[in-house]
């Protein structure tokens, strides 16, 4: 089976599992509540019996039967809500829940892919399928300033690492809040281990939670996709991912500078950055490079687009990964 169909088939199976899980959880809730409030079971039985007899009556030509059923069920449903509330439950406690209410966990709205399906496909295609799990741990709620020193400021710098990070996190939250109205693009730069990826993940999580389409690519993966599209026979997956790189709400290019740069990568990077700016689409680039190194490695027009049109966040401080390793070895 071609890769594309495999991805589709796997995703559709995941959706089916999700629907089954919600049905199972609903059944569990119902059984537990029936034990506590037996009258609810009686009301559900009334609904079921009324539906059967209304269907029979309709078949026998009683045209009003289905209207009566609707009214009957509405009344019973009000009684159920009242019983649930008085037992301390939310009135909709027994209703079926959805991971994505927009498509009711089918992946499609009509014949169009739902945003959740497009996102799931993006994760599968961009080899970022573990990202959602990582985002459960790396988000604004789990962000800690304690790894950033508040005392030993570099005399060259106007603020301490912690103060710098506080300002940046405040601006990152503003970036998220204003994402739909005032899209910005960001360059997050600084040495290894100062929290660039963590910060990017905080933003990605906040935007994914509000149903935005986020494409996360390492710079290596990004250029590989460009090359496949340009030089090799691109399959449907490559074509989708290529389109998503330009169309998505937020493109994250992680670790720019680790790819093998050449005239082609330079030209594609410019096209990507420029097209997205023209269409007011946000991009986040993270890199270990300093501004001088960026200038030396990329064309003048890339450098001037980034420094002219992006918000620049310089992160500094101690290597957090090294600090965490030390914490673990002492704990
Ligand atoms: Zn959906």
């Amino acid at each position: 089976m071609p890769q594309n169909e495999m991805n589709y088939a796997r995703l559709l199976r995941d959706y089916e599992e999700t629907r089954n899980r919600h049905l199972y959880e609903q059944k569990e809730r119902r059984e537990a509540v029936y034990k506590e409030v037996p009258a609810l079971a009686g009301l559900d039985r009334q609904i079921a019996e009324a539906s059967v007899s209304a269907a029979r009556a309709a078949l026998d030509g009683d045209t009003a039967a289905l209207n009566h059923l609707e009214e009957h069920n509405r009344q019973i449903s009000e009684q159920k809500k009242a019983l649930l509330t008085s037992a301390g439950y939310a009135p909709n406690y027994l209703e079926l829940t959805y991971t994505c209410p927009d498509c009711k966990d089918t992946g499609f709205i009509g014949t169009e892919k739902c945003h959740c399906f497009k996102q799931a496909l993006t994760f599968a295609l961009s080899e970022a399928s573990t990202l959602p799990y990582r985002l459960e741990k790396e988000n604004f709620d789990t962000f800690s300033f304690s790894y950033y020193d508040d005392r030993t400021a570099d005399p060259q710098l106007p603020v301490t690492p912690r103060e710098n990070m506080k300002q940046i996190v405040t601006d990152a939250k503003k970036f998220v809040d204003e994402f739909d109205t005032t899209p910005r693009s960001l360059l997050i730069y600084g040495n290894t281990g100062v929290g660039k990826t963590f910060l990017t993940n905080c933003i990605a999580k906040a935007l994914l939670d509000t149903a935005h389409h986020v494409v996360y690519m390492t710079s290596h993966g990004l250029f590989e996709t460009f090359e496949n599209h340009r030089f090799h026979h691109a399959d449907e997956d490559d074509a989708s991912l290529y389109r998503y790189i330009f169309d998505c709400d937020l493109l994250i290019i992680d670790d720019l500078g680790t790819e093998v740069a050449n005239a082609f990568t330079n030209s594609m990077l410019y096209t990507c950055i420029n097209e997205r700016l023209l269409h007011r689409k946000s991009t986040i680039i993270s890199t270990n490079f300093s501004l001088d190194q960026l200038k030396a490695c990329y064309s003048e027009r890339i450098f001037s687009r980034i420094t002219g049109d992006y918000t620049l966040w310089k992160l500094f401080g101690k290597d957090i990964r090294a600090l965490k390793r030390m914490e673990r070895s002492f704990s």
Side-chain angles (χ1 to χ4, degrees):
M1 200 191 292
Q3 184 67 22
N4 185 49
E5 286 175 31
M6 261 164 60
N7 278 323
Y8 257 73
R10 191 169 50 74
L11 286 178
L12 290 175
R13 230 176 16 248
D14 289 349
Y15 274 87
E16 195 184 343
E17 271 174 27
T18 304
R19 290 194 301 274
N20 287 340
R21 180 167 49 80
H22 285 302
L23 277 168
Y24 178 77
E25 287 167 357
Q26 183 193 35
K27 185 169 159 274
E28 295 256 285
R29 287 197 300 278
R30 196 162 48 215
E31 282 169 5
V33 172
Y34 277 0
K35 278 189 194 136
E36 200 181 321
V37 192
L40 273 167
L43 289 177
D44 274 339
R45 245 191 331 271
Q46 279 188 41
I47 290 182
E49 285 164 8
S51 302
V52 172
S53 41
R56 272 203 203 112
L59 282 173
D60 289 343
D62 179 354
T63 47
L66 293 178
N67 287 342
H68 288 150
L69 174 71
E70 209 173 297
E71 177 54 24
H72 173 264
N73 285 357
R74 200 191 53 76
Q75 284 176 14
I76 303 253
S77 150
E78 289 305 316
Q79 291 177 40
K80 276 175 66 181
K81 282 182 187 163
L83 276 176
L84 279 168
T85 314
S86 58
Y89 292 101
N92 60 355
Y93 184 69
L94 291 182
E95 280 168 28
L96 190 58
T97 52
Y98 300 102
T99 301
C100 178
D102 293 337
C103 65
K104 296 190 161 56
D105 298 333
T106 60
F108 288 83
I109 301 175
T111 53
E112 294 287 310
K113 288 189 198 94
C114 180
H115 57 84
C116 67
F117 193 86
K118 267 190 348 193
Q119 188 63 55
L121 196 57
T122 302
F123 282 139
L125 299 180
S126 59
E127 291 169 342
S129 51
T130 58
L131 189 65
Y133 306 106
R134 219 163 65 220
L135 298 185
E136 291 306 314
K137 291 186 194 145
E138 302 189 356
N139 53 64
F140 282 123
D141 293 336
T142 61
F143 191 94
S144 168
F145 291 104
S146 64
Y147 292 108
Y148 295 89
D149 222 315
D150 204 17
R151 289 157 303 174
T152 52
D154 182 332
Q156 302 284 319
L157 297 166
V159 289
T160 65
R162 189 175 300 178
E163 190 48 45
N164 178 56
M165 208 54 207
K166 282 188 174 167
Q167 288 171 9
I168 287 176
V169 168
T170 302
D171 199 26
K173 289 180 177 168
K174 190 161 172 258
F175 172 86
V176 169
D177 290 343
E178 297 176 349
F179 189 81
D180 294 322
T181 51
T182 320
R184 281 190 287 161
S185 286
L186 312 170
L187 175 75
I188 307 179
Y189 67 109
N191 294 336
T192 307
V194 289
K196 299 186 294 294
T197 302
F198 199 112
L199 181 64
T200 308
N201 286 347
C202 294
I203 295 172
K205 169 89 165 89
L207 290 172
L208 283 167
D209 285 350
T210 45
H212 291 89
H213 185 196
V214 177
V215 174
Y216 176 98
M217 306 283 290
T218 61
S219 79
H220 177 80
L222 179 78
F223 291 114
E224 198 175 59
T225 307
F226 287 154
E227 275 170 23
N228 285 343
H229 189 263
R230 175 78 171 76
F231 300 114
H232 306 293
H233 175 69
D235 63 17
E236 211 177 310
D237 277 353
D238 289 327
S240 299
L241 187 55
Y242 184 83
R243 200 175 56 247
Y244 290 165
I245 286 169
F246 287 91
D247 287 355
C248 66
D249 298 322
L250 173 67
L251 171 67
I252 297 169
I253 307 174
D254 192 30
D255 239 349
L256 186 73
T258 51
E259 76 286 348
V260 182
N262 54 41
F264 172 72
T265 57
N266 247 298
S267 137
M268 280 313 296
L269 182 61
Y270 177 75
T271 305
C272 177
I273 288 175
N274 196 46
E275 286 276 312
R276 292 189 57 85
L277 280 171
L278 284 175
H279 293 103
R280 291 173 50 82
K281 301 256 182 198
S282 294
T283 306
I284 299 179
I285 297 178
S286 78
T287 181
N288 287 349
F289 279 2
S290 64
L291 293 183
D292 284 343
Q293 283 170 315
L294 275 182
K295 193 173 185 180
C297 280
Y298 298 96
S299 62
E300 176 59 37
R301 55 185 192 158
I302 291 178
F303 184 72
S304 73
R305 270 280 178 273
I306 292 179
T307 49
D309 294 307
Y310 277 42
T311 300
L312 310 184
W313 290 341
K314 182 179 181 180
L315 272 57
F316 50 85
K318 289 183 181 142
D319 184 340
I320 295 170
R321 279 173 230 167
L323 288 175
K324 284 186 176 169
R325 269 198 302 275
M326 259 164 53
E327 272 179 8
R328 274 199 300 274
S329 59
F330 283 111
S331 64

